[in-house]
Amino acid sequence: MSLNLSEIDRVKSITKEDFIKNYFKPQKPVVIERFIEDWPAYKKWSLDYMKEIAGDKKVPLYDDRPVDYKDGFNEPHATMRMEDYVELLKSEPTKYRIFLWNILKEVPELQKDFSFPDFGLRLMKGLPMLFFGGKDSYTFMHYDIDLANIFHFHFEGKKQCILFDQKQNKYLYKIPNSLITREDINFANPDFEKWPALKNAKGYVANLEHGNVLYMPEGYWHYMRYITPGFSMSLRAIPRNPIRLGKAIYNIVVMRSFDNIMRRLKGQKWIDWKNEYAIKRTHKKNNITQ
């Protein structure tokens, strides 16, 4: 048995009007296959090019270790020079990923290689972020704290993306006061005996290749697995739905602060309680006894 996933719609290209009508308004994901072929980045951007242009930069690295109470919010697990990291990606599988690397701040000349597309949404121009990963590395299932509309542009290699909307929360073993599910769930091959509520979740899946753009609607859960080494860039627009915008402000101002306070006060006991409660709450909502 596998997750109940529908293939994400794929289009070669799309007009602003069709995007707004068919995907933004209904809040439905889509892969646009050939939208950026006029960008210099389409031909230039590769792991080797990133090594060449940013090789001396120190980059933050993350792996798939469980959350520890001593870790700050989005605190990296290691750092490495970009040229050494690219060589690592190309030479062997590694769990290390680059997460939320601001290319405008670190390598301003890369901005010349792309433009901000007009999808009918106001993109935040100070926040283009890059994400890198090695073969079989992955992100935990999570959603972004600001519940943004996300346009995810993939470069080099292949990447699998599994998405769920917020209506699926009751099935996903969401960690309270957090943006992630249980970290020990393997969404590429879940154990339904251990995580039976996942049988009821309905989501989406797509494989991205070089030049593909994935639109992820507001607050969508996403799990990303690198089938081969590669990297992506995300551009984002704030949520338009007032309820989701309010929730985003709550997440940033209240939820994150409360969680950090509880980590300092309770330490690992807080993390352990959240993990246990995720199971109890999910099974209670789904009338599951184990």
Side-chain angles (χ1 to χ4, degrees):
M1 185 176 178
S2 57
L3 288 168
N4 184 358
L5 303 175
S6 302
E7 285 285 335
I8 295 174
D9 283 1
R10 302 184 78 94
V11 296
K12 295 295 183 188
S13 61
I14 196 166
T15 64
K16 175 171 67 175
E17 292 74 20
D18 282 346
F19 170 75
I20 293 292
K21 175 184 175 183
N22 297 323
Y23 298 102
F24 172 69
K25 284 188 174 176
Q27 287 290 281
K28 184 179 176 184
V30 63
V31 174
I32 312 166
E33 295 182 336
R34 304 185 65 177
F35 192 79
I36 64 167
E37 291 182 3
D38 60 340
W39 283 9
Y42 180 75
K43 290 190 172 78
K44 290 167 64 175
W45 282 19
S46 66
L47 289 172
D48 285 335
Y49 182 67
M50 292 296 164
K51 175 184 172 183
E52 175 187 329
I53 200 167
D56 62 338
K57 301 293 183 183
K58 277 200 168 181
V59 294
L61 300 176
Y62 300 79
D63 57 28
D64 58 0
R65 73 186 70 178
V67 168
D68 187 279
Y69 77 94
K70 296 187 292 291
D71 293 339
F73 190 85
N74 284 344
E75 185 177 318
H77 299 131
T79 59
M80 190 180 290
R81 282 164 55 93
M82 188 63 172
E83 62 181 358
D84 297 327
Y85 177 63
V86 170
E87 284 305 308
L88 177 63
L89 288 183
K90 295 173 71 173
S91 64
E92 62 185 65
T94 176
K95 298 293 186 184
Y96 278 132
R97 295 175 290 106
I98 296 178
F99 175 71
L100 292 176
W101 186 45
N102 190 326
I103 63 167
L104 286 185
K105 181 180 175 184
E106 296 289 338
V107 192
E109 55 264 46
L110 286 174
Q111 188 181 357
K112 301 172 186 174
D113 294 340
F114 68 92
S115 56
F116 288 85
D118 183 7
F119 288 110
L121 303 178
R122 183 177 293 177
L123 297 171
M124 291 185 270
K125 298 200 172 176
L127 287 176
M129 295 290 183
L130 283 188
F131 304 80
F132 290 70
K135 176 178 164 57
D136 288 331
S137 65
Y138 61 90
T139 64
F140 297 124
M141 182 67 75
H142 69 287
Y143 62 94
D144 288 13
I145 194 168
D146 59 358
L147 302 179
N149 294 277
I150 301 170
F151 298 91
H152 198 64
F153 303 79
H154 188 62
F155 298 92
E156 189 154 329
K158 295 183 179 181
K159 186 178 194 178
Q160 183 188 58
C161 309
I162 296 175
L163 309 183
F164 293 100
D165 63 36
Q166 289 282 318
K167 294 174 184 174
Q168 308 304 307
N169 284 12
K170 64 184 284 190
Y171 310 122
L172 297 180
Y173 297 90
K174 179 185 183 299
I175 303 293
N177 296 292
S178 183
L179 309 168
I180 61 173
T181 64
R182 285 278 308 212
E183 296 155 299
D184 43 353
I185 297 174
N186 177 5
F187 278 90
N189 185 26
D191 181 346
F192 290 108
E193 289 191 13
K194 191 173 183 181
W195 314 111
L198 287 179
K199 296 175 189 174
N200 301 315
K202 294 180 180 179
Y204 299 91
V205 64
N207 284 350
L208 302 183
E209 298 185 351
H210 181 86
N212 289 175
V213 186
L214 169 64
Y215 167 62
M216 291 184 280
E218 297 171 6
Y220 261 54
W221 292 91
H222 44 285
Y223 163 92
M224 307 287 198
R225 181 169 66 90
Y226 292 85
I227 298 171
T228 65
F231 64 102
S232 307
M233 178 178 73
S234 280
L235 302 178
R236 56 207 303 116
I238 63 171
R240 293 277 193 91
N241 180 293
I243 294 174
R244 283 191 284 267
L245 182 58
K247 181 69 172 175
I249 294 169
Y250 170 83
N251 287 343
I252 295 167
V253 175
V254 178
M255 188 264 299
R256 181 165 61 180
S257 299
F258 176 72
D259 190 59
N260 284 335
I261 290 169
M262 292 303 291
R263 288 185 192 211
R264 287 196 294 271
L265 292 176
K266 298 289 188 179
Q268 193 61 36
K269 287 182 179 178
W270 172 242
I271 304 296
D272 293 343
W273 176 84
K274 292 203 300 177
N275 279 318
E276 285 300 312
Y277 190 69
I279 297 175
K280 290 178 182 176
R281 180 171 63 180
T282 301
H283 286 175
K284 183 178 180 181
K285 286 184 176 182
N286 289 277
N287 297 314
I288 294 169
T289 54
Q290 281 192 321

